[in-house]
Amino acid sequence: MALVFDVITNLFRKRATVLYPEERKEEPGTFRGVLGFERSLCIGCGLCWRVCPASAIEASRDEKGARPVFHLDRCIYCYLCVEVCPRKAIKASSRRAPAVEDKRKLEVG
Amino acid sequence: MIAEALRAFVYPGIAYMVALALLLEWLDRKIVARLQNRVGPYYAGPHGLLQPLADLIKLLAKEDVVPLGADRILFTLSPIAAFVVVTVAAAFVPLASTSGLVSAEGDAVAVLALITIYLLLVYAAGAASPSRYSQVGAVRAAHMLLGFEIPLMLSCLGVLASAGSFRLSELAARGSVRVFGLHAVGFAIFLIAAQAELERLPFDIPEAEQEIVSGWLVEYSSWRLALFRLARDIELLLLSGLAVTLFLGGPVGPSPPGAEPLLYPLYFIAKAALIVFLFSLVRASTARIRLDQFVTFCWRYLVPTSFAYFALAVLVA
Amino acid sequence: MGLYLPVGPQHPIHPEATLIKLKVEGEHVVDADIDASFVHRGIEKALEHKTYVQGLFLAERICGICNVAHTTCYTLNVEGLAGIEVPQRALWLRLIVEELARVSSHLLWLGLLAHVVGFESLFMLVFRDREVVLDLMEEITGGRVTSGYNVIGGVRRDIDAATAYKIKSSLAKLKERVVKYRRLLEEDPIVRARTVGVGYLSPSEARELLAVGPVARASGIAYDIRVNDPYLVHEEVPFNPVVYDTCDAWGRAMVRVGEILESIEMIVYALDHAPSGEIRARVPPVFRPPPGENVTRVEAPRGELLHYVRSDGSEKPYRYKVRTPTLANLPAAISMLKSRGDRVVHIADVPVIFGSIDPCICCTARVLVVNEKGAAKEFHLDELAAKRWAR
């Protein structure tokens, strides 16, 4: 019963619920979100796919040489690859991973 | 004939009772949510008014499972019987005018008897399911009966004795408010015992989600569960209606002559909403009490107080 | 006589799959046993196939709510094994985040206790207050739950003056709310009725059954790794371990709420006194520590957390063992669940008792080898490896 007065004052306060998806909480810029990749900077050293703990980076090739393909559905957003890339070709962002129906949409690069 | 059927089934009959019951459930959920700084029902209908109805419809679309080892007859009959018993009891309560759908001499006692029968049906429902959780929940419900039944009866009988009549429509017609002085005690006792009967927090022991999942309700699904939930909502309507009639003066209020059929239902809804607000406030600010602590509390405090109240009410009247 | 009532493995009370086997007579529990093996994920085996840096992220995910404790313990363990020197400021920052995670974990536990006694409103309000802490974690580390903050060699991000100010002002508001909750625990009659005298664990039993963390501290045993075996910079940050002697679930609740207030003080002190400097020693992503072994203990929110590592000189550990506090508290929990003499345990008390040890079963599920014959034998790791495991 000690909570009664606290609870009654809640009637006059704005709700704490965020009505997602119409409303969204602001994301701080520091959130570890989806990865971006700049092909022009990548030199194909292979450090990123060797260091990834979740085996989320696939080693593949294109006409320029070796390059990674990021599978964001397996990614744990630890950012080891961002740290280890010698040319800073892997970009951090604070966007959250979207909900998709096709896993292939979650490939970057 | 047709007029009678319309009265019985539509207004102020079953359809109106169901609608009112769902409205009171919405009110309860919304108030508890706002007290907890949440939103409550929001999307179904304006301000979530259609949410209880949506929940019932959703339940009807689910698969009906009868567990192996369940007593089939009791398993099927108990939800139907529960719904019928509470609706019949609610038919005596003045909802839309100074008389209920039916009115007879001594109908207040009939209502109290029907409430007890509902509780026995809860026990039967739990016993019909083979799950251990149902057994424990059913036994708890029966156990609770020992605690709150006497205070519930005595607080009602005290009011009836001091009003000098056992007919609910007579009490409603007189429209006297009985919440001050001696009757404040009776009002408090009735409210506490009613929450125990409705198995609401802090007394939702037979259905403690955290201990025995849903207790006696756990094996029921689809239309059976829908009927039980509807029966519970109508029980809320029934008990708030009883409180309104016995203590808050019935669905009566100042009204220009001739406007009673329009205003009295609204007065009822307003007063019942007040009772539901009190129930929701208690639900939002307490924890669940344990069964043995509940029975101790009833027999140490509620029962003696209710005896004293009844005796004084009879003497004063 | 007696009904066998299983609580679990799927039950609304369990955040994870646990089986509590109860033998019940009426409403009284006469016998109990706990089976915590349902969430076994083979983490220790997986850690043997990952490099030390990759293993850090796996260790972080042993448990969501204790993730900072696991990464703190892991990094201290591996740094001790490989002889890596960590800069001073990193140790202070690690302490700040560890204590912030402790606040978050204890607030979550308080909400769960409220939920278990049916106090839905308190649960909602506590979780709303916990959002403040989660937002702070997100601001500092980049994640609400999986922080990814501790790395081998230091920490990843620094806390600048603006963030420090935000932390202090949010925590000041949180402190008022927690003081209010402590008063509620002391005064609310129904909460007291459900927790006082429930789950009794006498001090001698606690010592015999090796209870750790708040469970032991509520039975009067003043053992806290931060005091008895300090790690990070706990020797330089003043704090008083919270000890109660009521030996029941209420005592454990009071210990945890007291610890929240202590942690808030520690964070503010650390923010004011942390030295400036480097936050991370450069460590190559793949390194080979010298052969050897190391043990590190950390005071996780639930008690004493122990990590053991054995290296054979390669880039992956030869063996990594995790002993979580909940595993140590399980025998105590089993003992608390049984009715004895005139100390009766009701079915309604079972979730309160099990919840009062703050169970984190996903941390706990490891393989236990029990010798049925009761003879005690010491197994050496190399023997086991030679005889039983194909490597």
Side-chain angles (χ1 to χ4, degrees):
Chain A
M1 293 315 287
L3 208 50
V4 174
F5 299 111
D6 220 7
V7 146
I8 292 185
T9 49
N10 275 335
L11 276 176
F12 307 106
R13 256 186 241 163
K14 184 171 178 274
R15 55 177 162 81
T17 320
V18 172
L19 287 172
Y20 191 86
E22 287 100 28
E23 303 172 355
R24 268 168 225 256
K25 252 165 92 159
E26 266 179 50
E27 299 149 9
T30 49
F31 180 69
R32 268 175 286 126
V34 296
L35 300 167
F37 178 60
E38 245 193 75
R39 181 65 185 95
S40 53
L41 294 171
C42 173
I43 56 172
C45 64
L47 274 177
C48 55
W49 64 71
R50 273 198 280 266
V51 99
C52 175
S55 314
I57 308 183
E58 190 191 326
S60 101
R61 302 196 71 90
D62 63 7
E63 58 288 338
K64 241 179 87 174
R67 45 82 51 79
V69 171
F70 300 89
H71 293 276
L72 289 181
D73 53 321
R74 298 206 57 181
C75 175
I76 60 174
Y77 302 97
C78 66
Y79 275 26
L80 263 183
C81 53
V82 174
E83 286 179 5
V84 95
C85 177
R87 292 285 181 270
K88 304 273 172 280
I90 310 179
K91 304 288 183 213
S93 85
S94 66
R95 273 188 347 263
R96 298 180 200 269
V100 293
E101 285 158 33
D102 184 3
K103 248 201 299 200
R104 283 168 297 185
K105 290 209 191 92
L106 283 176
E107 283 175 15
V108 171
Chain B
M1 259 294 286
I2 306 213
E4 296 288 321
L6 273 178
R7 276 200 79 223
F9 285 101
V10 180
Y11 181 87
I14 298 185
Y16 182 64
M17 280 188 235
V18 169
L20 258 190
L22 295 180
L23 175 70
L24 288 182
E25 182 191 335
W26 172 84
L27 200 63
D28 173 37
R29 284 166 71 165
K30 202 71 176 164
I31 295 174
V32 169
R34 292 307 289 129
L35 287 171
Q36 291 173 348
N37 215 6
R38 296 184 288 125
V39 180
Y42 184 73
Y43 290 104
H47 289 287
L49 272 168
L50 294 180
Q51 185 68 44
L53 182 63
D55 288 338
L56 280 180
I57 297 178
K58 177 210 81 169
L59 274 176
L60 292 175
K62 298 265 180 183
E63 182 190 352
D64 180 21
V65 177
V66 178
L68 210 61
D71 183 331
R72 279 203 86 98
I73 304 174
L74 213 49
F75 204 76
T76 310
L77 278 184
S78 46
I80 304 176
F83 176 71
V84 165
V85 161
V86 227
T87 314
V88 166
F92 290 109
V93 173
L95 299 177
S97 63
T98 50
S99 154
L101 185 60
V102 273
S103 172
E105 194 55 52
D107 56 16
V109 178
V111 169
L112 291 176
L114 285 169
I115 292 178
T116 316
I117 294 183
Y118 172 77
L119 280 155
L120 295 176
L121 279 173
V122 162
Y123 176 74
S129 322
S131 156
R132 285 163 225 271
Y133 293 138
S134 318
Q135 311 289 332
V136 173
V139 166
R140 285 181 175 193
H143 216 121
M144 279 183 69
L145 245 188
L146 290 177
F148 68 81
E149 190 71 5
I150 295 181
L152 185 66
M153 302 288 148
L154 285 180
S155 52
C156 291
L157 289 176
V159 171
L160 295 169
S162 76
S165 161
F166 281 100
R167 196 168 177 160
L168 285 172
S169 46
E170 267 183 49
L171 277 128
R174 253 177 267 167
S176 38
V177 176
R178 297 185 191 85
V179 289
F180 303 112
L182 175 65
H183 291 294
V185 177
F187 191 36
I189 296 177
F190 180 82
L191 285 180
I192 297 177
Q195 284 176 86
E197 211 259 292
L198 287 166
E199 288 169 18
R200 290 176 66 97
L201 255 181
F203 308 119
D204 65 348
I205 302 161
E207 261 182 56
E209 179 207 332
Q210 287 82 14
E211 304 151 25
I212 46 176
V213 200
S214 276
W216 56 273
L217 263 184
V218 75
E219 297 283 356
Y220 290 89
S221 55
S222 174
W223 63 269
R224 300 167 211 270
L225 186 60
L227 271 182
F228 268 123
R229 291 194 51 165
L230 192 53
R232 177 142 25 120
D233 289 341
I234 298 187
E235 219 197 341
L236 177 63
L237 173 67
L238 170 67
L239 282 168
S240 349
L242 257 187
V244 167
T245 310
L246 293 174
F247 295 98
L248 293 183
V252 166
S255 133
E260 283 98 359
L262 188 61
L263 282 177
Y264 280 9
L266 295 174
Y267 280 127
F268 177 81
I269 295 178
K271 293 185 189 181
L274 176 64
I275 303 280
V276 169
F277 177 77
L278 287 174
F279 284 169
S280 304
L281 187 59
V282 170
R283 176 176 163 194
S285 42
T286 50
R288 180 182 312 116
I289 203 175
R290 211 169 59 194
L291 183 62
D292 59 311
Q293 293 164 344
F294 169 72
V295 177
T296 313
F297 165 73
C298 281
W299 281 90
R300 214 178 269 180
Y301 301 108
L302 269 192
V303 171
T305 321
S306 55
F307 266 112
Y309 166 72
F310 177 64
L312 284 172
V314 167
L315 287 173
V316 161
Chain C
M1 251 267 18
L3 190 67
Y4 166 63
L5 190 71
V7 179
Q10 290 144 326
H11 196 276
I13 190 50
H14 293 312
E16 297 120 340
T18 323
L19 178 57
I20 307 179
K21 303 177 210 166
L22 296 175
K23 190 142 162 266
V24 165
E25 273 174 22
E27 279 274 325
H28 298 170
V29 177
V30 291
D31 202 5
D33 196 10
I34 298 183
D35 182 348
S37 63
F38 291 90
V39 202
H40 182 74
R41 289 165 290 166
I43 288 189
E44 292 179 359
K45 171 81 173 156
L47 279 171
E48 290 171 15
H49 295 277
K50 297 209 179 286
T51 66
Y52 287 94
V53 174
Q54 287 175 332
L56 169 65
F57 291 98
L58 181 58
E60 187 179 30
R61 281 150 180 82
I62 295 180
C63 176
I65 192 65
C66 333
N67 72 91
V68 176
H70 281 288
T71 50
T72 309
C73 200
Y74 184 97
T75 49
L76 285 174
N77 211 11
V78 174
E79 284 155 7
L81 177 73
I84 298 174
E85 186 75 36
V86 178
Q88 272 297 103
R89 184 169 172 79
L91 293 177
W92 284 81
L93 291 178
R94 277 184 185 174
L95 187 139
I96 291 173
V97 171
E98 180 202 24
E99 294 302 321
L100 201 57
R102 191 185 312 272
V103 171
S104 159
S105 170
H106 283 330
L107 279 176
L108 180 122
W109 178 84
L110 187 61
L112 282 187
L113 179 76
H115 175 66
V116 160
V117 297
F119 206 160
E120 297 299 329
S121 292
L122 183 60
F123 165 77
M124 299 282 174
L125 294 178
V126 166
F127 267 69
R128 186 198 63 191
D129 290 325
R130 185 171 170 255
E131 284 294 306
V132 165
V133 180
L134 289 178
D135 287 342
L136 282 178
M137 285 286 273
E138 193 177 20
E139 181 105 15
I140 303 174
T141 69
R144 278 158 64 103
V145 176
T146 41
S147 52
Y149 191 66
N150 296 331
V151 280
I152 299 176
V155 297
R156 265 179 162 174
R157 299 187 192 191
D158 205 345
I159 300 182
D160 59 6
T163 316
Y165 177 74
K166 198 187 278 194
I167 297 175
K168 283 193 224 171
S169 54
S170 307
L171 286 181
K173 284 192 219 128
L174 181 67
K175 188 169 164 182
E176 285 171 22
R177 302 285 313 168
V178 175
V179 167
K180 205 182 278 195
Y181 294 139
R182 183 168 64 177
R183 227 188 56 227
L184 189 133
L185 276 178
E186 287 168 352
E187 290 173 0
D188 187 288
I190 300 187
V191 172
R192 285 188 63 101
R194 288 301 298 274
T195 51
V196 171
V198 166
Y200 184 79
L201 186 74
S202 66
S204 58
E205 256 190 314
R207 211 166 276 127
E208 197 185 296
L209 294 170
L210 305 173
V212 295
V215 177
R217 290 200 279 281
S219 294
I221 303 177
Y223 192 80
D224 187 325
I225 307 281
R226 293 174 286 177
V227 168
N228 298 70
D229 190 5
Y231 53 100
L232 295 181
V233 285
H234 278 291
E235 287 161 312
E236 299 177 42
V237 177
F239 94 106
N240 316 307
V242 183
V243 179
Y244 276 74
D245 59 359
T246 53
C247 305
D248 54 14
W250 186 82
R252 286 167 220 136
M254 295 304 291
V255 165
R256 291 193 178 97
V257 173
E259 282 187 3
I260 299 178
L261 295 170
E262 283 293 323
S263 292
I264 295 180
E265 297 297 318
M266 289 169 76
I267 296 172
V268 173
Y269 183 92
L271 282 172
D272 288 332
H273 290 87
S276 55
E278 289 288 306
I279 57 170
R280 187 174 182 176
R282 268 289 138 197
V283 168
V286 174
F287 61 91
R288 293 185 169 72
E293 44 185 35
N294 198 15
V295 171
T296 307
R297 295 191 299 168
V298 148
E299 181 76 13
R302 282 155 185 79
E304 171 191 336
L305 171 66
L306 190 149
H307 281 212
Y308 163 84
V309 68
R310 157 94 84 104
S311 153
D312 57 357
S314 68
E315 73 261 7
K316 299 183 179 163
Y318 179 77
R319 173 81 171 102
Y320 201 94
K321 173 150 184 67
V322 176
R323 203 286 327 254
T324 51
T326 309
L327 186 64
N329 283 331
L330 275 184
I334 295 176
S335 157
M336 280 190 257
L337 282 172
K338 303 183 191 170
S339 297
R340 244 171 314 199
D342 58 349
R343 192 167 307 126
V344 169
V345 176
H346 296 85
I347 298 183
D349 292 333
V350 168
V352 176
I353 296 175
F354 189 63
S356 73
I357 64 167
D358 204 355
C360 185
I361 304 295
C362 57
C363 274
T364 305
R366 301 280 109 75
V367 175
L368 276 175
V369 177
V370 175
N371 189 335
E372 292 290 308
K373 294 191 204 82
K377 189 171 181 231
E378 233 179 57
F379 284 100
H380 199 75
L381 184 59
D382 296 316
E383 273 178 49
L384 278 177
K387 276 196 216 154
R388 291 167 197 253
W389 307 328
R391 294 206 61 95

